[in-house]
Each structure stands twice: as C-alpha cells, then as structure tokens.
C-alpha cells in the first residue's frame, strides 16, 4: 500500500499544482517514509523536476527537525533548577514526538 501511496503522491506533485501547495503545508514526513519517498521520486522523475520536489520536501523536513531540536533542548533544560520557573512551551511531549518521527511508527500516541 505504501508503494502505491508514494507513486500517487509523486504523480500528483508532478501534475497537480494544487497538490504541490498542500504538499508544502505538510508538518513533516517520518524519516523512513521520507527516505522511501525521495528514493522513489529520484527514480521516477526527471532530474529537474526531482530537484524541485526534493527541495520542497527538504524544506519541510528541515523546519520540523529544527523545531524538534529546539523542543528537546528546552525539555532537557527544564530539568535544571535554573529553568524551573520557566514555562514548558511545546516541549513536554518532545521526546515522544522525536521517537515517532525517527521510527515512523504511527501507533505511538501524541
């Protein structure tokens, strides 16, 4: 099923500009699926189109990794007594989100 979904996503990205807009609004792609999507697209798309696709997907990943890194860093700082009075912001579940992101396990609860 994943192979068909990747094929559909790559096809739609190439042919449907509305899909490109929706694609660029994705929060992130879990790493195992991201890798498979990039591998599939690199084999099916011509080089110019693939570069655009890769750039779009990479921006999404880079943004999410940066956010996750900041959240995990803040989570760790919260265990230092100097930061005890500071708010948690979005870091309380950052470890679980990191595991979910890295493993690609959709069964891990948010």
């Amino acid at each position: 099923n994943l192979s068909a979904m990747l094929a559909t996503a790559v096809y739609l990205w190439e042919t449907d500009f509305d899909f490109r807009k929706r694609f660029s609004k994705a929060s992130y792609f879990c790493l195992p699926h991201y890798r498979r999507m990039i591998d599939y697209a690199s084999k099916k798309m011509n080089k110019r189109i693939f570069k655009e696709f890769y750039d779009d997907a990479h921006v999404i990943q880079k943004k999410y990794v940066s956010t996750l890194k900041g959240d995990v860093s803040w989570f760790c700082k919260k265990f230092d007594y100097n930061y005890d009075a500071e708010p948690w912001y979005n870091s309380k579940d950052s470890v679980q989100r990191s595991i979910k992101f890295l493993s690609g396990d959709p069964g891990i609860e948010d």
Side-chain angles (χ1 to χ4, degrees), residues 13-84:
W13 193 92
E14 284 183 296
T15 59
D16 186 347
F17 288 100
D18 288 334
F19 182 79
R20 285 188 188 195
K21 291 176 190 173
R22 286 182 293 232
F23 182 89
S24 68
K25 292 179 184 177
S27 301
Y28 68 92
F29 306 103
C30 67
L31 287 181
H33 294 132
Y34 175 71
R35 179 176 174 240
R36 286 186 64 182
M37 179 176 67
I38 296 300
D39 285 346
Y40 180 84
S42 71
K43 294 173 186 167
K44 298 297 180 181
M45 295 176 153
N46 74 46
K47 288 183 182 184
R48 185 185 61 80
I49 297 291
F50 172 71
K51 181 177 177 351
E52 292 176 33
F53 177 80
Y54 177 80
D55 290 346
D56 283 355
H58 184 69
V59 165
I60 293 165
Q61 288 299 88
K62 189 173 181 178
K63 181 180 174 186
Y64 188 72
V65 167
S66 177
T67 299
L68 205 53
K69 179 181 175 184
D71 290 347
V72 170
S73 177
W74 188 252
F75 178 86
C76 293
K77 284 181 181 178
K78 279 296 291 171
F79 290 95
D80 181 339
Y81 73 92
N82 292 315
Y83 295 93
D84 188 46

Side-chain angles (χ1 to χ4, degrees), residues 28 30-31 64 68-69 71-73 75-76 79 88 90-110:
Y28 68 92
C30 67
L31 287 181
Y64 188 72
L68 205 53
K69 179 181 175 184
D71 290 347
V72 170
S73 177
F75 178 86
C76 293
F79 290 95
W88 282 91
N90 196 28
S91 68
K92 275 193 175 183
D93 67 341
S94 61
V95 173
Q96 292 89 341
R97 285 186 289 125
S98 297
I99 292 168
K100 180 179 178 181
F101 173 72
L102 294 170
S103 70
D105 184 356
I108 296 175
E109 306 250 340
D110 288 331

